[in-house]
Structure formats: C-alpha cells, structure tokens
Amino acid sequence: MVTTVSAIREVPPQSRVDATPNDPSRQTVFNEPVLRLGNIQGAILPGFSKSHRVLLSLRVNRRTSSHLAGFKCWLKAQLPFIATAEEVLAFNKLFKATRFRRKREGTIKSTWMGLSLGFRLLCDLNREADQFTDEAFRAGLAKRSEMLGDPVEGPYRAEKWLVGGPANEADVLVVIESDEREDMLDELLRVEQSILQFNRAAGGALLEILFADEGANLPGTLSGHEHFNFLDGVSQPGIRGTLSADRTDVLTLRQNPGKRDLPEDPSQPPSATNKISPAQGKPGQDLLWPGEFVFGYPRQIPVEADDAEGLNPHPGPDSLTKRVGKGNAAPEWATDGSFLVYRRLRQDVGGFHRFLHDQAKALQVKDPANASAARLVGAKLVGRWPSGAPVPKTPNDENACLGDNDCRNNHFEFQGDTDLIHRRSGDENACVDDDANLQAKADVAGDRCPFSAHIRKTYPRDDDSASVPDLNEASTQTHRLLRRGLPYGPVSASTPDAPVFDDTDRGLQFLAYQTSIDDQFEFVIRNWVNNADFKVKDSGHDPILGQNGTKGEGRERFFTVTIPDPADNTKVTRTVLRTQADWVLPTGGGYFFTPSLSAIEKHLTVL
Ligand code: HEM
C-alpha cells in the first residue's frame, strides 16, 4: 500500500534539477573543486530533509585500550550504514522525478543514518585529533554554555540538561532520519541492538545510550514550520563545487540570471579590473566556497568590500582561496568532514504568542489585510511572516504565495533595491521574480526589517555599520551556517491571536554544520544575536535567541522594532519592546565532528 507522507519542505540550496550541459544555470568561470560525495556524509551535504528524526546521544565509558579497541570494531561495523552525500543526492533526484511523473509523494522512501564524534573520544581514537584548533569544539558545548548567554541558574542551566551537560556529555551522536516513523524506529532498533551486542561482548555497559531525542516535521498545514508558526529552513547558503570532473556538473544551479560569475566585460577574461558579478544559486542565495562547511576545500576570503563585492576571490589555484584562520586548523583526515552543533532548544509557544498579542494591543497595531496585528508584530521580530514571506519584500502584509516561492522568498538584500528578474527563453531553470510590487527596497535604517529581527541578526547579508568596522558582505559570508533543524514535541494549540499556555516540552532540534564553531555558530551568537548594539547602538537583542547576561533581573531583553503607521503605511513608528521572558531555552546538545567515511575507516578505527 502506498501511503502519502507529509514530506518536509525542500530546502533550496542543493535541490538540483535536471539540466542540459549548456544550460546557463550550470555556467561557472571558476575552477570549482570536485566534491568527494562518496566520502562526505549525506547529513552534511545535501542534508537528509526527512519528516522523522531521532538523535541518539551515546557515551563511551571506561576507556581502557581494550575497550577502545572494542568500540573501534563497533564503529567500523556502522560504516556501511552511514549515508553518503552521493546516495542522498541520487535518492533526491529520483524522488523528484517520481513525484513529478506520478503527481504524488510517498512512492519511494529512504532511511538515512549519520554519525558524529566528540573531541575527547576523537583524541582517544587518534591522537592527531589534538591538531583541531577550534577552541569551542575542544571545550565542548557545556563549557561554552555560559559564554553563549545560557542561564547559569534555574531549570535550564547546563547541569540540568537532558544531555550534553557537564555530567552527561555525549561522545557520539547518531542521526537517523526517515520518511516514515516506523522505518526510523527500525533503524534505531538496529543501532540499539548493535550496542547491546557490543556491551555483551565487552562485559559491561561500555557504550551507554544517554538520550534519544525524537523530532518530526509538524503535521498538516504546519509542515515545514517551527513551533512558533514560522516556515523554517527557507534561507540556506548555496555551495560551489561540482559533482564530477565536468565543470558544468555543478552542485547548486545558478538560477539568478543576473548573478552568474560573469565578468563585467564578458569578452575579456576576469581580472582585478574586469570584475566578476558573483553567482547566486536561487536569487538572494550567495554561492559560498565549500570549505566553509566541509574541511579540505577552498574557503571564503573576507576580502575588501570593493573586490568583486568580496564574495568571490579571483579565479586561481586553490591556495588563493584556502583560508586557515582561527579555529580552522585540523588533522589531514578531517578532509571531507564537518563540525556539527546540536542545540536542543525548548520553545515557550504560549509565552511568545502572548507577547505578540499584548504588544499588538498596547501599540494599537492595525490588522493588516491578510493577517492579524499580532502576526505583524511577530513578522517584525523574525523578519519573515509565518508563510516565509520576507518582511523586506512585504513589510506590511502577509503573502503566502511569496512565502512559498523559493525563487522569490529569499531575493533581497538590506542595502539596496532588488532587480526584477524576467523570464528568458533558453534559460528554463532560471528563476523569475517579476512582480514590481513585491520587490525589496533598500532598508538602510531598518524601517522594513528591524536590525533586531532574527533573520537580520543571524545573517545581516550586505549590511555594513559605522560602529562595527569589520561588518561587510565579505566578512559576513565567513559566518554562515548549514542549518538542519527539525521540531520536537507535539503541536501547540496556541496562535498569536489566541495564546494558549501549557507546560509541554516542545521545541527545535537545532543542528548546524560548519568548519569553525568559533567563527561561525558561536560568532553569530556572541557578536550579533546577544549584542544589543549590533548593528547600531540600541538595536536590541535577537527576540528569538538573544540572551542578556546569564542571571537575574539583568536578563531583561529589548528589541527595537518598526510598526507601520496606521494612517500612512509608507511611514513607520519606531518603538522599543522589552521583556524578562525567554521563549527559547536550552535543554541539551553538544559539539561534534562528522568525519568522512574514509577517516572512520583508515584513521579512527585502526587497531
Ligand atoms: C527555537 C529556536 C529557533 C527558531 C524558532 C528559529 C526560527 C527561524 C526562522 C523562522 C527563520 C526564517 C526562515 C529561514 O530562513 O529558515 C530562521 C532563520 C535563521 N535562523 Fe533561526 N531559529 C531558531 C534557532 C536558531 C539558532 C540557534 C541559530 C544559530 C545561530 C539560528 C540561525 C538562523 C539563521 C542563520 C537563519 C537564516 C537567516 C537568513 O539566511 O536569512 N536560528 N530561524
């Protein structure tokens, strides 16, 4: 029997569609690296994107050399079950083709597994792990929790976490994802049985299951949304690189015809004077060198803003584009691997909705045509409407069609207007964004999208700032994350218009891949999200994630937002919202490294 599954909404970046070799969306002037897809775990690239997930946190107890030898055998036995990027990409292609032909989902399904290891265990498996210089990774999440602004007292302090606190830090994180819950549970059972067998052979509970964290795509119309009600996983970095030696076999199609790595004068080769307009995947999705997310590949160079907008180095040998910065040095076998940040974040949905509701009332915000006043306040705090429609494009009203359109919903910057993208013949895979009424306007003052909005805090795009001298588009591109979040816990009955409190544990399994936890995840949290003066003084904290101090009254947070003037909605009123409440609180997590398959085989399981 064929069941219809509510597949999680596809993430834009690596959704490769078929294209002929001379398709303009495959053109690149750069010598992009061939991605070793058979060696990279599929959880990193392209990401599993399944509706069901369980995160299994394991601890390796009593690490004598014979126990470690036993563990290495267990690890080696898992190798055939770890999904490669190649397999996941091939499945996704087939999935799309069958969905297109059969006009339904659920006829082909898959179950994937990924595996990551913590720093201390890695050092026990191979001493060269000590060559990792990323301080955050070396210390582990529990030790960095206070620095990230997490509470140091009360029920959400690291000591109370379900997993990942000082007393229950995990050494191994197994990620299992599937289209069907039953298939996911079958794979979980297989892993559990392998652990039982290992422990039996070792004569004790040497490999201990600390915690199994189950997540799932929300049902029905909430599919793809997180618990506060907003569509998630909309904006992801695009990634350069090819699937084979064929230079046109690109991982990410370049679907914005105006942004295709073309020199200003296409009849001449690119040079310092004949600069290149850097490519995007989907419009607004800047293409980054893969070394930002996978070790062993060229990285972004945070060059001056006037150098090809700083987004791309000039074509040249890899050495030109390799950036080994703070926190990025790693053993040779880290190649094709990535750091994984796991945060189990509990969400107080009723509390957040109550805040939106009360503020809308207090500020006498008028209901927009397609939404409510409370939802408008929510859109200003997140930077997107619940549908995913970006506030920079539609500051005063919800627009579900825009939210659902991956060619349009990310096509904006903050410092300039966007250009219309018209349909072009011979360029079938190019995106179209031709509605003049739904274009983003330059938002230098934060009138449309407040500086404190979650999306502007976590990815300020082309923002610069007089008070933050290092902020420019090129440097911002070195602080990006490949997010793989999925909700956990039951749907809340709450809405922004009718807030409902309950004490249910629900939230987000936040997962993100990168090659420097110091410079990427932690940088974003410490310098932008928690910094009320980013990007200008008194911008406020990120309303979703921002923390202010670690204890007591001092934790009050504020957000400077702009509300459309009811009499003339081309004007805005700027106002500061304050709260003592935290709507997102940590309940677990960890910092891990996700090795390549060859690293597991040749460097981490050698007896
Ligand atoms: C419960 C916690 C969280 C919730 C409810 C949440 C919600 C959202 C939503 C609704 C979006 C807009 C849709 C999208 O572009 O995907 C978003 C974007 C984003 N979030 Fe979060 N998020 C959470 C945690 C985090 C954490 C821990 C980080 C780490 C820094 C983070 C970083 C980002 C980034 C980088 C973006 C994309 C911004 C852009 O490219 O425009 N989020 N989040």
Side-chain angles (χ1 to χ4, degrees):
M1 195 184 76
V2 174
T3 51
T4 310
V5 291
S6 59
I8 190 159
R9 194 174 171 281
E10 254 165 47
V11 287
Q14 294 89 28
S15 57
R16 186 170 168 267
V17 286
D18 277 328
T20 55
N22 57 0
D23 185 319
S25 62
R26 291 170 153 227
Q27 283 171 7
T28 169
V29 296
F30 290 113
N31 202 3
E32 297 189 19
V34 180
L35 299 161
R36 293 171 289 268
L37 298 168
N39 200 30
I40 300 171
Q41 292 202 31
I44 308 169
L45 291 180
F48 296 154
S49 300
K50 295 293 183 192
S51 293
H52 297 276
R53 172 198 277 168
V54 63
L55 301 173
L56 199 61
S57 294
L58 309 177
R59 178 162 61 193
V60 183
N61 289 321
R62 303 206 302 276
R63 296 193 196 113
T64 64
S65 53
S66 73
H67 294 145
L68 273 176
F71 173 76
K72 285 180 177 179
C73 292
W74 178 85
L75 186 55
K76 200 161 199 168
Q78 299 310 311
L79 207 47
F81 298 98
I82 296 176
T84 66
E86 193 169 35
E87 289 163 352
V88 180
L89 277 165
F91 173 85
N92 290 354
K93 194 172 167 191
L94 187 63
F95 180 89
K96 271 175 216 156
T98 52
R99 182 178 58 183
F100 179 75
R101 203 165 70 82
R102 295 174 193 172
K103 307 278 180 279
R104 65 191 302 187
E105 290 183 351
T107 55
I108 63 160
K109 296 170 192 169
S110 61
T111 299
W112 305 123
M113 187 184 103
L115 189 144
S116 308
L117 304 164
F119 176 63
R120 270 178 306 157
L121 179 62
L122 270 178
C123 288
D124 286 341
L125 298 177
N126 186 327
R127 280 197 199 143
E128 287 167 14
D130 201 34
Q131 293 169 17
F132 279 111
T133 55
D134 190 291
E135 282 170 26
F137 175 61
R138 293 174 69 94
L141 176 60
K143 285 215 177 71
R144 307 288 276 196
S145 164
E146 186 171 349
M147 205 190 271
L148 295 173
D150 292 347
V152 294
E153 52 190 29
Y156 298 101
R157 64 185 197 272
E159 287 75 12
K160 291 281 179 187
W161 288 355
L162 295 164
V163 68
N168 58 0
E169 248 174 320
D171 292 310
V172 183
L173 188 74
V174 177
V175 181
I176 299 170
E177 290 198 26
S178 189
D179 294 298
E180 298 286 351
R181 184 165 186 266
E182 270 183 22
D183 296 341
M184 178 195 78
L185 293 177
D186 280 351
E187 181 63 4
L188 176 63
L189 191 64
R190 185 199 62 75
V191 176
E192 285 171 342
Q193 278 170 349
S194 75
I195 293 171
L196 273 178
Q197 257 173 20
F198 166 73
N199 284 338
R200 215 172 288 139
L206 291 185
L207 193 48
E208 184 188 339
I209 299 181
L210 294 174
F211 189 59
D213 185 12
E214 185 174 349
N217 183 25
L218 299 184
T221 53
L222 284 177
S223 174
H225 294 236
E226 50 70 44
H227 281 291
F228 289 148
N229 227 319
F230 294 85
L231 189 65
D232 201 4
V234 180
S235 167
Q236 295 272 19
I239 299 177
R240 292 184 182 277
T242 61
L243 309 184
S244 68
D246 175 357
R247 279 182 57 178
T248 66
D249 198 9
V250 291
L251 175 71
T252 311
L253 288 180
R254 291 100 217 263
Q255 293 179 266
N256 184 349
K259 298 262 181 184
R260 276 202 179 126
D261 285 339
L262 295 175
E264 273 162 19
D265 177 357
S267 63
Q268 298 298 317
S271 68
T273 46
N274 191 21
K275 285 185 181 156
I276 288 169
S277 139
Q280 296 189 337
K282 294 260 178 2
Q285 186 194 34
D286 292 331
L287 282 190
L288 305 189
W289 291 88
E292 293 298 311
F293 310 107
V294 187
F295 282 96
Y297 297 93
R299 297 193 76 186
Q300 292 295 116
I301 297 182
V303 286
E304 292 302 313
D306 65 350
D307 185 0
E309 289 184 29
L311 288 178
N312 287 293
H314 297 302
D318 279 358
S319 59
L320 261 184
T321 56
K322 264 197 183 125
R323 179 171 68 93
V324 178
K326 181 171 134 282
N328 189 235
E332 199 56 43
W333 47 258
T335 294
D336 291 337
S338 182
F339 288 132
L340 171 61
V341 170
Y342 163 35
R343 293 275 272 170
R344 187 175 191 274
L345 298 169
R346 181 174 169 144
Q347 292 174 255
D348 174 6
V349 178
F352 181 63
H353 288 166
R354 164 65 60 198
F355 182 80
L356 302 184
H357 185 264
D358 291 354
Q359 295 299 331
K361 236 173 158 179
L363 299 170
Q364 298 181 326
V365 178
K366 240 175 81 184
D367 283 342
N370 287 328
S372 63
R375 283 174 200 262
L376 187 146
V377 176
K380 292 289 179 174
L381 296 185
V382 171
R384 289 187 186 270
W385 294 84
S387 71
V391 164
K393 281 193 150 203
T394 172
N396 301 332
D397 214 350
E398 169 66 292
N399 187 321
C401 288
L402 174 61
D404 198 40
N405 186 329
D406 287 341
C407 279
R408 301 180 184 213
N409 64 14
N410 204 33
H411 183 210
F412 61 92
E413 300 285 350
F414 295 120
Q415 296 294 310
D417 299 358
T418 42
D419 298 325
L420 294 174
I421 305 175
H422 296 288
R423 196 170 297 284
R424 298 180 181 197
S425 65
D427 203 350
E428 267 63 46
N429 281 312
C431 280
V432 174
D433 187 6
D434 56 358
D435 186 339
N437 295 320
L438 283 177
Q439 293 301 316
K441 298 266 176 284
D443 190 20
V444 180
D447 288 348
R448 291 184 155 224
C449 183
F451 297 139
S452 63
H454 180 58
I455 67 158
R456 200 159 181 173
K457 278 282 189 184
T458 52
Y459 177 35
R461 296 183 186 233
D462 60 343
D463 270 343
D464 49 21
S465 158
S467 53
V468 188
D470 293 344
L471 183 70
N472 60 56
E473 194 165 14
S475 65
T476 291
Q477 297 301 354
T478 65
H479 306 299
R480 305 290 307 279
L481 298 165
L482 266 189
R483 290 175 300 135
R484 307 282 182 236
L486 201 61
Y488 73 85
V491 174
S492 160
S494 179
T495 68
D497 307 316
V500 177
F501 287 96
D502 61 18
D503 198 23
T504 306
D505 182 19
R506 64 169 67 81
L508 186 77
Q509 295 176 334
F510 176 85
L511 296 184
Y513 291 96
Q514 62 236 268
T515 47
S516 170
I517 300 177
D518 276 338
D519 261 357
Q520 290 169 272
F521 172 72
E522 287 203 348
F523 182 97
V524 171
I525 298 291
R526 290 160 59 186
N527 295 286
W528 296 347
V529 162
N530 290 350
N531 177 1
D533 292 331
F534 180 79
K535 65 165 213 172
V536 299
K537 190 155 173 28
D538 294 333
S539 300
H541 305 93
D542 177 328
I544 304 297
L545 294 180
Q547 311 277 343
N548 183 20
T550 48
K551 47 178 148 179
E553 295 269 303
R555 276 180 72 76
E556 180 182 270
R557 304 179 301 142
F558 70 93
F559 333 112
T560 303
V561 296
T562 43
I563 303 292
D565 184 331
D568 172 1
N569 70 13
T570 60
K571 297 201 179 115
V572 290
T573 312
R574 192 163 264 99
T575 178
V576 178
L577 311 182
R578 294 184 184 277
T579 182
Q580 288 279 342
D582 290 303
W583 305 300
V584 172
L585 283 156
T587 55
Y591 289 162
F592 300 92
F593 175 71
T594 308
S596 70
L597 277 81
S598 66
I600 295 178
E601 189 181 356
K602 298 191 186 120
H603 298 276
L604 301 175
T605 55
V606 180
L607 293 175

